[in-house]
């Protein structure tokens, strides 16, 4: 007897070739159970009630004729029409009886599974698996139903029948109509799988790429306490972890980012057979702790790579994966419970880069997690209950608490989606990506702040956070064809400040990062003066600083060691940039805040002087060896050390800014050595900014201490011309194209070359003035680091200059 005639098949009997028989979910579970359990990946056993069983059930109950009659006048654009017909079809299925042959087959398999796990009636997850679901060209989040903590034969049969009926949910009917699938060419299989007791542990989803940019070298994991439905449905804001694949495979502890989610609820078991699960509030300790240990994060990431590799070989092409995992809190073991091909970025045209950018500014109304990188505009339509979706009009912006698959009919006509709850792997986020529209999830209060009919701009173009602005703000959309951008001899690098934009920026043609500023990471991700964290315990003793301590505690949730918070967050910001461009050089400049900028950080007023001219004062190298800042500088060194040695991102080069004298260079290098960051140690390269006339004049001597140089044209112009670039009174004198400045640039390049040192430029001048870029190329500069928005056009200009120089050489010969 062949598989096709079987009513029930076990996971070890099925694989990905059996989608037409057991659906995408079950076929994938069988594939993994057969091939990956032997590689150490834990997958709970189970069986599939086949599509043959579904068709047998439908035939014996004469349901196809009944359903065709009900759907005869279906109109999916009429929400009321769709709702009424969907209800009638589901009622017809739910009131039908199981043929005894099918009933016995399901019961026998269930009792056998119970026996395998040593229980009278084992707890199982019952999942729908449609025969056209989870295919690369026909995926849509959560088409059919899942039932958790099902125990006993009667409860299982009810759940299987509900799954059969869920093939005709309103959203599934609507989706098939839109995709052109025949309702009766698709059948439904049901997966019955031993539950993982994640109600006492944690669960979540894992993607083998970055879901927003499509960057392929990371594993993205979302995690929350309890059963996994809360993460999938977007009921909670989960933890988010990124792991870098290339260095993980080399044996490094490559967790490059950890973000604590609020995880307000968890889904747990109940004793009520009618309502076998419920949501309960998490404890404060749970909310302020990561749901997974570092060891567990790394284990999941390794499994993700293994699963992706297996499916890529199976399909004969790169196959990024969307995986569900669970941690059993009783056994303290991790499991994989589902895996399917990722269906958004894997089918995108990689030759085109599309950038969106706001042209103006506006009042921020709410913010949350950005999904996608687009900008959209329209009128707000707040809908708090799915029963009101028929009121929604095409082109409006959907604002709601959370979405689930019942919202699909209006999500596909929305111009953007905003939710109060959910993470970047929630239902709303997944559907928005599939539809190609921007979404902002986890805002917390969008339904309260935004009003019906209000005109807003939804901006997801800035990285991790998305912003909702009041009014319609002009924006531009730029499309870049990567294939037509020329290659150049002069290295074209990028200035990158925001780590959240690094993955997306990496797709621009580039030779690495010429300037990664620590200041942005400190200002945006840490926000606290390092000394306030170093002396936290002392501050806590004084009632005078009670308010300050409260602010620090709020920002550093999850960390009892406040100093470690600073090291970790700085390391993660640097690591995201280093990973995005790996293995190309990423030049990270140590902090170059002025005293007034440091003073603006939380607690900064306690440690910073008031200087008349901070631009010329206590900044750069002079801070690093000062008794008042040396310990804070050590935290930067420990962060870099973590990035290079723990995460394995040895493409990071460090750079010292505003180093006035040779003596200062010696002092800073000595401190670096104290903290295990000696130049040359583990291949560490140390560069220096050339931004003071003394740097140019003494470049031969500085070359003995540094591996390379980067010209900071902003400060070099200021100090060459004696102009305070913050002063509007003399701003007309400030000009990087001045003859004296160009002479300084020329001398710096010649000096570096004379000493066999690399030299580039990371200041604003080449971004603003094409003629400066042309001048630098003629002088023989090694690299030009540009603001991302000028990389493409400057590359064309530089290619033109290089061709002109080549032509001149040929003519001379």
């Amino acid at each position: 007897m062949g598989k096709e005639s079987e009513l029930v098949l076990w996971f070890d009997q099925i694989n990905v070739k059996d989608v037409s028989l057991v659906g995408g979910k079950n076929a994938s579970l069988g594939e993994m159970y057969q091939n990956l359990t032997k590689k150490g990946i834990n997958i709970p056993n189970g069986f599939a009630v086949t599509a043959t069983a579904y068709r047998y059930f439908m035939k014996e109950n004469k349901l196809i004729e009944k359903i065709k009659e009900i759907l005869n006048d279906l109109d999916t654009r009429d929400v009321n029409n769709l709702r009424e017909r969907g209800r009638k079809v589901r009622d017809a299925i739910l009131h039908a009886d199981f043929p005894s042959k099918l009933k016995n087959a399901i019961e026998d398999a269930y009792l056998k599974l119970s026996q395998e796990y040593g229980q009278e009636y084992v707890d199982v997850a019952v999942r729908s698996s449609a025969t056209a679901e989870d295919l690369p060209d026909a995926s849509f989040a959560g088409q059919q139903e899942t039932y958790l903590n099902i125990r006993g034969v009667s409860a299982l049969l009810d759940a299987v029948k509900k799954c059969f009926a869920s093939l005709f949910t309103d959203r599934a009917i609507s989706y098939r109509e839109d995709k052109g699938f025949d309702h009766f060419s698709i059948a439904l299989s049901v997966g019955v799988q031993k539950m993982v007791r994640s109600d006492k542990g944690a669960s979540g989803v894992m993607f083998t790429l970055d879901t927003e940019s499509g960057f392929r070298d990371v594993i993205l994991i979302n995690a929350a306490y309890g059963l996994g439905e809360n993460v999938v449905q977007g009921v909670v804001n989960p933890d988010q972890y990124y792991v870098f694949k290339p260095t993980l495979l080399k044996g490094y502890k490559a967790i490059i980012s950890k973000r604590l989610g609020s995880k307000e609820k968890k889904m747990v078991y109940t004793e009520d057979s009618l309502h076998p699960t419920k949501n309960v509030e998490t404890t404060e300790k749970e909310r302020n702790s990561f749901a997974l240990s570092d060891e567990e994060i790394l284990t999941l990431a390794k499994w993700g790579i293994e699963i992706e590799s297996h499916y890529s070989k199976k399909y004969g092409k790169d196959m990024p994966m969307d995986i569900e995992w669970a941690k059993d809190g009783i056994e303290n073991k991790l499991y994989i419970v589902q895996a399917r091909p990722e269906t958004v970025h894997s089918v995108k045209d990689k030759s085109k880069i599309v950038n969106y950018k706001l042209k103006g500014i506006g009042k921020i109304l709410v913010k949350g997690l950005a999904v996608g990188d687009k900008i959209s505009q329209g009128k707000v339509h707040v809908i708090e209950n799915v029963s009101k979706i028929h009121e929604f009009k095409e082109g409006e912006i959907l604002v709601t608490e959370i979405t689930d698959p019942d919202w699909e009919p209006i999500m596909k006509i929305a111009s953007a989606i905003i939710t109060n709850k959910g993470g970047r792997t929630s239902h709303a986020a997944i559907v928005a990506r599939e539809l190609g529209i921007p979404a902002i999830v986890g805002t917390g209060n969008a339904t309260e702040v935004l009003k019906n009919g209000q005109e807003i701009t939804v901006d997801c173009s800035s990285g991790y956070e998305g912003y909702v602005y009041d009014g319609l703000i002009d924006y531009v959309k730029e499309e870049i064809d990567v294939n037509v951008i020329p290659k150049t001899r002069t290295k074209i690098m990028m200035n990158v400040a925001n780590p959240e934009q690094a993955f997306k920026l990496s797709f621009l043609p580039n030779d690495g990062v010429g300037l990664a500023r620590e200041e942005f990471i400190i200002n945006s991700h840490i926000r606290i003066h390092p000394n306030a964290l170093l002396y936290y315990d002392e501050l806590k003793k004084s009632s005078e600083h009670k308010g300050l301590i409260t602010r620090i505690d709020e920002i550093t949730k999850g960390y009892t060691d406040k100093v470690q918070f600073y090291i970790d967050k700085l390391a993660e910001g640097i690591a995201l940039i280093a990973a995005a461009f790996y293995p190309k050089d990423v030049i990270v400049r140590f902090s170059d805040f002025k005293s007034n900028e440091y003073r603006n950080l939380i607690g900064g007023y306690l440690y910073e002087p008031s200087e008349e001219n901070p631009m010329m004062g206590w900044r750069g190298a002079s801070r690093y060896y000062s008794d008042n800042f040396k310990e804070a500088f050590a935290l930067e060194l420990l962060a870099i050390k973590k990035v290079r040695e723990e995460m394995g991102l040895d493409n990071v080069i460090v750079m010292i800014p505003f180093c006035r004298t040779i003596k200062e260079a010696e002092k800073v290098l000595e401190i670096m050595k104290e903290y295990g960051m000696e130049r040359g140690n583990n291949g560490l390269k140390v560069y220096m900014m050339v931004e003071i006339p003394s740097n140019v004049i003494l470049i031969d001597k500085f070359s003995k201490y540094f591996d390379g140089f980067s010209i900071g044209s902003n400060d070099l112009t200021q100090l060459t011309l004696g102009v305070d670039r913050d002063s509007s009174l003399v701003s007309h004198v400030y000009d990087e194209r001045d003859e004296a400045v160009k002479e300084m640039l020329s001398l710096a390049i010649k000096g570096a070359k004379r000493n066999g040192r690399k030299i580039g430029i990371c200041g604003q001048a080449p971004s603003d003035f094409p003629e400066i870029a042309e001048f630098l190329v003629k002088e023989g500069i090694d690299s030009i680091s540009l603001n991302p928005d000028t990389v493409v056009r400057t590359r064309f200009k530089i290619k033109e200059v290089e061709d002109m120089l080549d032509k001149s050489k040929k003519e001379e010969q």
Side-chain angles (χ1 to χ4, degrees):
M1 188 183 288
K3 282 186 193 178
E4 291 73 18
S5 59
E6 296 285 345
L7 300 178
V8 168
L9 289 168
W10 289 84
F11 288 169
D12 63 5
Q13 296 175 289
I14 54 182
N15 57 43
V16 290
K17 294 177 181 173
D18 295 316
V19 172
S20 62
L21 188 58
V22 296
K25 284 191 183 78
N26 289 334
S28 186
L29 276 169
E31 180 72 26
M32 290 193 295
Y33 193 81
Q34 283 191 52
N35 297 287
L36 297 177
T37 49
K38 63 186 79 165
K39 294 189 177 181
I41 296 176
N42 302 325
I43 298 158
N45 197 11
F47 58 87
V49 179
T50 65
T52 305
Y54 166 82
R55 291 191 177 99
Y56 175 55
F57 174 85
M58 298 291 278
K59 184 181 175 186
E60 290 295 300
N61 285 285
K62 298 183 171 56
L63 284 167
I64 292 174
E65 296 81 4
K66 288 180 190 174
I67 293 168
K68 281 183 176 176
E69 190 179 327
I70 294 167
L71 297 180
N72 189 40
D73 61 346
L74 174 70
D75 179 4
T76 60
R77 291 280 160 177
D78 180 340
V79 175
N80 289 323
N81 174 289
L82 173 63
R83 185 184 294 146
E84 182 62 20
R85 271 120 201 97
R87 184 186 59 77
K88 285 182 177 179
V89 171
R90 293 190 295 277
D91 281 350
I93 295 169
L94 291 170
H95 286 96
D97 294 321
F98 273 106
S100 57
K101 183 180 172 184
L102 176 56
K103 182 179 178 181
N104 291 339
I106 295 170
E107 183 174 350
D108 289 349
Y110 175 65
L111 293 176
K112 185 180 173 186
L113 186 67
S114 297
Q115 192 176 12
E116 180 183 332
Y117 284 98
Q119 297 180 31
E120 183 183 4
Y121 296 118
V122 70
D123 51 330
V124 290
V126 183
R127 292 190 180 91
S128 309
S129 182
T131 56
E133 189 183 26
D134 297 325
L135 294 177
D137 59 344
S139 175
F140 209 79
Q143 280 291 312
Q144 279 78 45
E145 300 296 346
T146 293
Y147 300 93
L148 303 178
N149 188 24
I150 301 301
R151 290 174 186 268
V153 175
S154 175
L156 174 59
L157 290 169
D158 280 349
V160 170
K161 197 187 286 187
K162 285 177 185 174
C163 285
F164 284 169
S166 78
L167 189 57
F168 290 91
T169 56
D170 299 351
R171 73 236 181 204
I173 294 169
S174 172
Y175 182 67
R176 285 195 295 272
E177 289 283 325
D178 289 348
K179 286 282 184 182
F181 293 137
D182 173 31
H183 294 293
F184 303 102
S185 66
I186 296 167
L188 190 119
S189 170
V190 179
V192 179
Q193 184 180 34
K194 167 69 178 83
M195 284 284 290
V196 175
R197 290 303 302 267
S198 58
D199 63 308
K200 293 184 178 294
S203 57
V205 294
M206 167 167 60
F207 285 85
T208 62
L209 47 54
D210 175 43
T211 53
E212 304 318 307
S213 66
F215 182 68
R216 294 296 311 278
D217 280 346
V218 287
I219 300 282
L220 167 63
I221 301 170
N222 275 187
Y225 297 109
L227 302 176
E229 291 301 287
N230 281 346
V231 176
V232 174
Q233 293 174 2
V235 174
V236 296
N237 297 324
D239 294 342
Q240 176 178 285
Y241 318 117
Y242 278 110
V243 182
F244 188 52
K245 293 181 196 172
T247 56
L248 177 68
L249 290 170
K250 290 180 180 178
Y252 289 96
K253 188 178 172 183
I255 303 169
I256 58 171
S257 177
K258 290 170 67 176
R259 282 181 181 266
L260 191 68
S262 50
K263 308 181 295 292
E264 305 92 341
K265 297 176 182 177
K266 63 178 177 179
M267 188 179 283
V268 298
Y269 280 18
T270 73
E271 298 298 321
D272 182 352
S273 60
L274 292 175
H275 305 285
T277 62
K278 67 176 181 179
N279 268 321
V280 296
E281 286 192 6
T282 49
T283 64
E284 186 178 354
K285 184 181 178 183
E286 286 173 323
R287 290 194 290 275
N288 293 337
S289 303
F290 289 109
L292 290 176
S293 69
D294 285 1
E295 187 181 345
E296 289 164 341
I297 293 167
L298 294 170
T299 297
L300 282 176
K302 287 170 187 170
W303 287 1
I305 292 172
E306 194 76 58
I307 293 167
E308 180 182 55
S309 174
H310 176 81
Y311 279 82
S312 296
K313 285 175 188 166
K314 193 84 182 178
Y315 287 106
K317 62 178 183 178
D318 282 346
M319 190 62 69
M321 298 297 289
D322 169 357
I323 301 162
E324 291 183 30
W325 61 271
K327 177 188 172 182
D328 192 307
I330 297 173
E331 298 178 325
N332 206 31
K333 279 173 70 174
L334 292 166
Y335 289 87
I336 299 297
V337 294
Q338 277 194 54
R340 62 186 75 82
E342 190 274 345
T343 57
V344 177
H345 291 288
S346 53
V347 296
K348 264 190 178 176
D349 180 3
K350 304 294 191 299
S351 67
K352 297 278 194 301
I353 297 171
V354 180
N355 290 322
Y356 288 77
K357 191 174 181 181
L358 283 180
K359 288 174 76 176
I361 55 172
K363 179 186 175 186
I364 296 174
L365 300 173
V366 294
K367 62 183 179 180
L369 305 180
V371 176
D373 55 11
K374 294 181 178 176
I375 296 173
S376 187
Q377 298 176 329
K379 289 184 177 178
V380 168
H381 195 142
V382 180
I383 298 185
E384 294 184 0
N385 190 294
V386 72
S387 64
K388 299 285 184 71
I389 65 173
H390 62 280
E391 297 172 359
F392 192 84
K393 294 183 176 57
E394 189 165 355
E396 292 180 327
I397 294 172
L398 174 62
V399 180
T400 189
E401 184 78 3
I402 60 169
T403 67
D404 63 35
D406 289 327
W407 295 74
E408 182 265 319
I410 64 166
M411 295 172 84
K412 67 189 178 189
I413 60 171
S415 60
I417 298 166
I418 303 168
T419 65
N420 287 350
K421 293 182 177 177
R424 291 165 97 178
T425 49
S426 64
H427 175 265
I430 292 169
V431 173
R433 282 187 207 101
E434 296 228 7
L435 293 170
I437 60 173
I440 299 179
V441 298
T443 62
N445 61 350
T447 55
E448 296 167 29
V449 175
L450 304 176
K451 306 302 177 190
N452 277 328
Q454 182 178 10
E455 291 186 325
I456 59 170
T457 298
V458 177
D459 177 18
C460 292
S461 68
S462 300
Y464 185 77
E465 283 196 317
Y467 302 94
V468 177
Y469 292 97
D470 192 15
L472 307 180
I473 301 171
D474 284 345
Y475 66 93
V476 290
K477 175 184 173 185
E478 178 189 34
E479 191 171 285
I480 300 165
D481 185 345
V482 174
N483 296 320
V484 302
I485 300 170
K487 288 183 168 59
T488 58
R489 286 194 303 276
T490 309
K491 286 189 174 183
I492 305 299
M493 304 177 86
M494 270 192 277
N495 299 334
V496 178
N498 185 350
E500 272 75 50
Q501 290 188 310
F503 292 160
K504 179 187 170 188
L505 293 174
S506 71
F507 290 98
L508 285 168
N510 71 84
D511 295 298
V513 175
L515 177 63
R517 301 180 183 93
E518 282 189 3
E519 297 91 277
F520 184 93
I521 302 166
I522 295 166
N523 216 12
S524 301
H525 296 251
I526 298 172
R527 307 191 335 253
I528 305 162
H529 195 287
N531 283 344
L533 297 170
L534 282 161
Y535 304 120
Y536 172 83
D537 291 337
E538 288 178 28
L539 293 172
K540 203 170 181 181
K541 292 173 188 172
S542 168
S543 58
E544 182 188 343
H545 302 302
K546 196 174 179 183
L548 174 59
I549 291 297
T550 301
R551 289 185 75 189
I552 292 173
D553 287 346
E554 180 63 30
I555 291 167
T556 59
K557 275 181 183 174
Y559 280 88
T560 50
D561 184 340
K562 305 305 180 184
V563 170
Q564 196 61 47
F565 167 81
Y566 191 94
I567 295 167
D568 286 355
K569 292 303 145 193
L570 183 54
E572 288 168 18
I574 293 166
L576 285 170
I577 299 172
F581 294 88
Y582 185 87
K584 298 169 187 170
D585 288 348
V586 171
I587 302 169
V588 176
R589 187 179 71 188
F590 290 127
S591 64
D592 192 25
F593 277 136
K594 289 73 177 171
S595 54
N596 58 327
E597 293 165 331
Y598 261 122
R599 193 176 176 84
N600 288 333
L601 293 175
I602 293 167
Y605 66 93
L606 294 171
Y607 306 103
E608 294 296 327
S610 293
E611 294 187 279
E612 283 294 324
N613 188 355
M615 187 74 77
M616 300 280 285
W618 192 38
R619 59 178 288 203
S622 62
R623 277 186 167 266
Y624 308 153
Y625 58 83
S626 161
D627 289 341
N628 294 330
F629 197 79
K630 182 180 172 182
E631 284 183 273
F633 178 57
L635 305 188
E636 297 180 37
L637 296 175
L638 292 171
I640 295 283
K641 192 177 173 68
K642 181 174 182 176
V643 171
R644 286 179 52 85
E645 297 177 18
E646 188 176 305
M647 301 177 185
L649 292 159
D650 55 8
N651 59 324
V652 168
I653 294 169
V654 295
M655 183 157 65
I656 298 171
F658 226 73
C659 186
R660 295 170 168 101
T661 66
I662 299 295
K663 194 71 180 167
E664 284 203 317
E666 290 173 346
K667 285 181 177 180
V668 174
L669 289 170
E670 188 58 38
I671 291 168
M672 290 178 65
K673 187 177 177 181
E674 275 180 48
Y675 288 90
M677 290 285 290
E678 185 176 5
R679 178 186 166 207
N681 190 19
N682 294 319
L684 176 67
K685 290 180 183 175
V686 184
Y687 282 17
M688 186 190 83
M689 292 285 290
V690 173
E691 52 193 341
I692 306 168
S694 62
N695 301 151
V696 179
I697 295 163
L698 296 180
I699 199 155
D700 294 322
K701 290 185 178 178
F702 277 115
S703 293
K704 293 171 184 172
Y705 294 89
F706 298 103
D707 301 288
F709 301 100
S710 186
I711 299 168
S713 57
N714 299 354
D715 272 325
L716 189 59
T717 302
Q718 170 178 245
L719 297 171
T720 300
L721 299 177
V723 175
D724 180 350
R725 59 188 170 104
D726 280 350
S727 170
S728 59
L729 297 172
V730 288
S731 60
H732 61 284
V733 181
Y734 183 92
D735 189 347
E736 293 99 323
R737 296 164 297 180
D738 187 273
E739 193 177 341
V741 178
K742 288 170 75 175
E743 182 64 20
M744 280 289 189
L745 296 174
S746 179
L747 289 170
I749 295 167
K750 287 184 175 74
K753 295 277 183 184
R754 187 167 59 244
N755 288 280
R757 295 290 180 253
K758 285 192 174 179
I759 186 160
I761 186 168
C762 60
Q764 191 72 21
S767 294
D768 289 345
F769 306 114
E771 60 267 44
I772 289 288
E774 183 178 337
F775 170 78
L776 293 166
V777 172
K778 286 178 179 174
E779 290 295 312
I781 201 160
D782 293 310
S783 65
I784 296 177
S785 192
L786 301 158
N787 294 338
D789 58 352
T790 64
V791 162
V792 174
R793 71 168 183 263
T794 309
R795 192 177 278 273
F796 278 102
K797 179 66 180 173
I798 287 169
K799 177 62 175 169
E800 193 181 300
V801 174
E802 288 178 346
D803 289 346
M804 185 180 68
L805 290 172
D806 290 344
K807 187 180 176 185
S808 296
K809 273 185 187 175
K810 278 184 184 177
E811 286 173 356
E812 283 173 16
Q813 290 169 356

